[in-house]
Amino acid sequence: NNGSGVGGTGHPVNEELNIVVGTVTGFASICVNGVEIHYADSTPVKVDGVESSPDNLKLGQVVIAHVNGVGNEVNAQTIQVFHPVMGPITSVDGVRGNIEILGQQVVLPEKLYDQVNNHNVGQFVKVSGLFDASGQLVASRLDTVVGDQKPSISGAVTSVNSSGFMINNL
């Protein structure tokens, strides 16, 4: 493992396991940061752990794909869409382009700034994105959720004590 998949480069994170992690940047197959991942209509897809289909893959989503092959063209065995945080927005900073969900600050790049002003405190959203080198969650997609959903946060366990644990220092 040369670590080339860290940071969402789209290159295999583990060449023995053939896992590609990254942001969907194009279609025909799905392009994940420069790697073309071919899939069939029958390829198993899960969105946040729930069975889905390739029709539900969207630009900006973060995926974890188990693949056959190496290099810039591979074949997907399974695809999982990953949202590091989902829940009600607790604050909106339209000037800086940031929102907060479950205590997690989410940085919205300039291309998503217009979405900040279209969201309100209390609105339930799913964030697609990756953590940058400084530990900030940078969104690549923001989706409003309608209906019953459970808030969740994913990330690195940063400390453990007798009363619980922290994820991303939260």
Side-chain angles (χ1 to χ4, degrees):
N1 180 357
N2 64 10
S4 63
V6 175
T9 61
H11 296 265
V13 172
N14 183 314
E15 292 178 9
E16 291 176 15
L17 296 177
N18 286 334
I19 299 171
V20 177
V21 178
T23 305
V24 176
T25 58
F27 281 97
S29 42
I30 55 173
C31 295
V32 179
N33 299 326
V35 176
E36 188 169 348
I37 302 173
H38 300 280
Y39 60 88
D41 289 340
S42 61
T43 301
V45 173
K46 289 186 177 182
V47 177
D48 301 317
V50 177
E51 296 291 331
S52 188
S53 75
D55 293 339
N56 291 319
L57 297 171
K58 297 179 175 66
L59 288 175
Q61 288 177 325
V62 173
V63 297
I64 302 166
H66 295 267
V67 300
N68 284 335
V70 293
N72 290 333
E73 287 197 37
V74 295
N75 295 305
Q77 301 304 300
T78 64
I79 301 171
Q80 297 176 49
V81 176
F82 171 70
H83 294 97
V85 66
M86 344 188 250
I89 296 173
T90 53
S91 71
V92 176
D93 182 343
V95 174
R96 291 194 177 119
N98 295 342
I99 60 173
E100 182 181 274
I101 303 167
L102 303 176
Q104 175 69 61
Q105 290 293 317
V106 179
V107 177
L108 298 177
E110 193 171 327
K111 67 181 181 179
L112 297 179
Y113 269 21
D114 61 331
Q115 291 190 19
V116 173
N117 296 322
N118 294 332
H119 289 85
N120 301 311
V121 169
Q123 193 170 28
F124 200 109
V125 296
K126 288 184 179 185
V127 176
S128 296
L130 296 167
F131 290 90
D132 67 11
S134 70
Q136 290 188 348
L137 177 56
V138 180
S140 53
R141 183 178 180 90
L142 187 63
D143 291 302
T144 302
V145 177
V146 178
D148 253 355
Q149 290 287 329
K150 294 183 181 177
S152 70
I153 190 162
S154 302
V157 174
T158 51
S159 70
V160 178
N161 61 38
S162 61
S163 63
F165 60 94
M166 296 181 77
I167 297 175
N168 303 331
N169 295 317
L170 303 173

